[in-house]
Amino acid sequence: MIAEKVISDLEYDKILSEVARYAVLQSGKNAVMLSRPLGDPDAVKLLNDKTAEAVKLLYTYNVSQIPFFPDIGEIVERAKVGGTLNFGELLSISAALRAARIVKTSVANVKDDTVTLLKELTGRLFLDQPLENEINEKIVNDETMADSASFALANIRKRIRTINARIRDKLNSYIRGANKYLQDNIITVRGDRYVIPVRAEYKSSVKGFVHDQSASGATVFIEPEQIIEYNNELKTALIEEANEVRRILQELSAKVAAIAENLVWNTENLTETDVIYAKAAYSYRNKCVYPAINAKGVIKIIKGRHPLIAAEKVVPVTVLLGEKYRFLLITGPNTGGKTVTMKLTGLLTAMMMTGIFVPCDESSELSVFNDIFCDIGDEQSIEQSLSTFSSHMKNIVDILNRVSEKALVLIDEIGAGTDPEEGSALALAIIEALMRANCFGIITTHYSRLKEYAFGNGKIENASMDFDTKTFAPLYKLNIGVPGSSNAIEISKRLGLSEEIASVAVSFLSDTKVSFENILKQAEESRNNAEKLTRELEEIEREKRAELDAIREERARLQSELDKISQNVKAETRRQVNERVAEADELLDEIRAIAKKENFSGTDVITARNLKNRLEDKRYVAEERKEEKLFDIQKANVKTLKAGDKVYSAKLGAEAEFVRNIPQKRQAEIRLGAMTTIVPEEDLYVYKRFEKEEKPSVKIGKKVERSAPQAEINVLGQTVLEGVANVEAFLDQALVNGLEEVKVIHGVGTGKLRAGIWDYLRTNKNVKEYRSGRYGEGEKGVTIITLK
């Protein structure tokens, strides 16, 4: 069992106070404050496993904490010996039964096979919902029983209300007839009997029984003889009511007595559950973790935070002990964090051994010890006439007498408070005695002799608290493997000591001491620079890795989108091909049907030709087919044009007839129907239509090989009918080739060709959207089409 002094020195009791704040029951709060670290590794593991399950229940599955109920220990004991419980006590029993029911069912309803310990604990709870409900139904509050508590009570209270009403009616009637005798026209009660206030001088005029008199004597309270019998009847009913209430309370108390042992059992289990929930709530709210647990003395506190230091002020510390060496010798300047680091190690170990998670990195590991010893702080005792040194030595002697192999020893400023030479010699002897005991520990000191000793001993490792080599300000970081310098003179200078006194102090130091301290300072500065460079390189590496990860994610996203688009295009292409093949098959069937006729008319011939043309428009041919070129267009040379030549005006967007050249203005006159107009020379184009070649016979095939898909078509100079037909065929081909966006060049002109094409696009189910070209795309002279 860890000594209470150690509990106080490590401030473990303050942690328990923080944990107790999260307990609901008073018995739970008391149990938390009595919690102590356990030395059995299996028991410690079990405690932490329960805390882990509680964290999962409370913050993953949102199981509520234990509903509050008062302490029922004394209540149950009184019920056991036949005592009658009052309203409030029975309601406390009901609250305790309700808490047990809620805790048991809420945990049992969690469907998680990893939650076993708390299911087993809460599964032991005793439930008696009928008694819980009966108490709540019969008792309204701490002073009232419900009318429905029994049939007899309901009848009695009904009779009481009737009697009360009769008495009031009778008294009201009496008051109206004897108004001159009354002090006030009111009805009051004295000793459960109805009375009226009568003026003292008229008390002989009112027949009845005097129950009371006012303090001044001016008023007497008389029960008129007309209602004495009614009051007697009321008194009898009230006695019957009290007896019935008492009978019901005794009946309920007997039922409580029958389950008394179960209620005690419930209280014990609910208290244990409350303690576990409190540890879980503290651990979760303070961002604590479940460390790895061993019994080998290995301590790996990674970025540990002292739980009693404000989060915005605490500096995380890493402490390693027990794997390569059994002791850490921490040196360095005062106020540098040596004592805090040592206490942090002991405190986190004690917390883990109690089942409380610890504030550090998840990769941390702590060991279970059978005892923790410490000698920390100013132990001067006036009562025992002990100096600081004497008090320290008394503690250390006690430690040496009780220490064992599986103990953790924490000693602050070993050998301090006496002659430095004797103190350091004594400290070395104590350290060697602890090493012979084969225990584990952390020791702080300022003695250089101890630092030198640690260099040559494999069981103890030097460590130091980091500080800024320029300002000598503490950085509260533990450096393992490097002894620290006390820097007492430099710190004193920073606190205001004159340079002259500081120089004198340096002159009193031995050459060996100065040399050793200078070497430590240089080593510290070099190490700080190396660490700074390492941090910068790590930051650069993190940034580059983040950039590389982002590039990889973007590449994967683009590849995923490409695959998706490719699959959609293939699916749409297959659909289009299948649809066209089906249409072509239908047309072929119709042509074959006409061909089979023995005598067919000219109408049949026309029908067959139309079917053939429609079949060719489907463009399902086995051999490669080049895009059909309808005309060639180029700038017109007006000097070579003759009147009547066909030209195309880009401005009008239509074919016209050349009339004459106007060379002095670089213009030309053209005729469009009955209208003539003047246009610039550069507006005119000439083109030549190509004769359509004889088309080969159509062969239908489901596998089609094609030339490279064309993403635009030029319909300049075509009529609306021609332009729309060519655009329709062009879009069909674009869909088959899996194109998403295509361009139609139609010019500006009168706008009729553009309007006709747009009217067709509005009805095409394969067109997702269309728009005029933007600047650089041809603007209103082209239409950009997005296909589905």
Side-chain angles (χ1 to χ4, degrees), residues 616-750:
E616 289 178 343
D617 285 342
K618 301 303 174 186
R619 302 192 180 213
Y620 277 86
V621 293
E623 65 275 8
E624 183 179 337
R625 178 171 179 169
K626 296 182 179 179
E627 183 182 353
E628 185 176 10
K629 191 173 182 182
L630 303 177
F631 58 86
D632 187 22
I633 188 168
Q634 58 187 13
K635 284 280 188 180
N637 184 354
V638 295
K639 295 180 181 179
T640 62
L641 292 175
K642 300 190 296 262
D645 285 348
K646 298 294 184 180
V647 294
Y648 175 77
S649 169
K651 180 178 180 182
L652 299 178
E655 187 179 58
E657 182 180 321
F658 181 76
V659 177
R660 66 188 179 89
N661 183 21
I662 309 175
Q664 60 271 27
K665 294 185 179 181
R666 297 183 60 80
Q667 294 177 335
E669 183 180 351
I670 59 174
R671 181 182 292 111
L672 186 63
M675 178 189 73
T676 60
T677 184
I678 305 297
V679 298
E681 292 180 358
E682 59 270 15
D683 183 57
L684 298 181
Y685 293 83
V686 294
Y687 59 93
K688 173 184 176 183
R689 290 187 180 276
F690 293 96
E691 295 295 330
K692 292 185 179 180
E693 299 178 359
E694 189 68 26
K695 296 180 179 178
S697 58
V698 178
K699 298 179 182 178
I700 304 301
K702 294 188 178 179
K703 184 177 180 182
V704 181
E705 295 181 359
R706 299 197 169 276
S707 57
Q710 300 296 316
E712 66 178 50
I713 184 173
N714 192 328
V715 294
L716 281 169
Q718 297 180 22
T719 64
V720 173
L721 190 60
E722 290 175 330
V724 170
N726 285 332
V727 168
E728 180 182 12
F730 169 70
L731 292 182
D732 289 342
Q733 187 66 37
L735 284 166
V736 171
N737 289 323
L739 299 179
E740 290 185 356
E741 186 176 276
V742 295
K743 181 194 292 186
V744 176
I745 304 171
H746 47 64
V748 181
T750 61

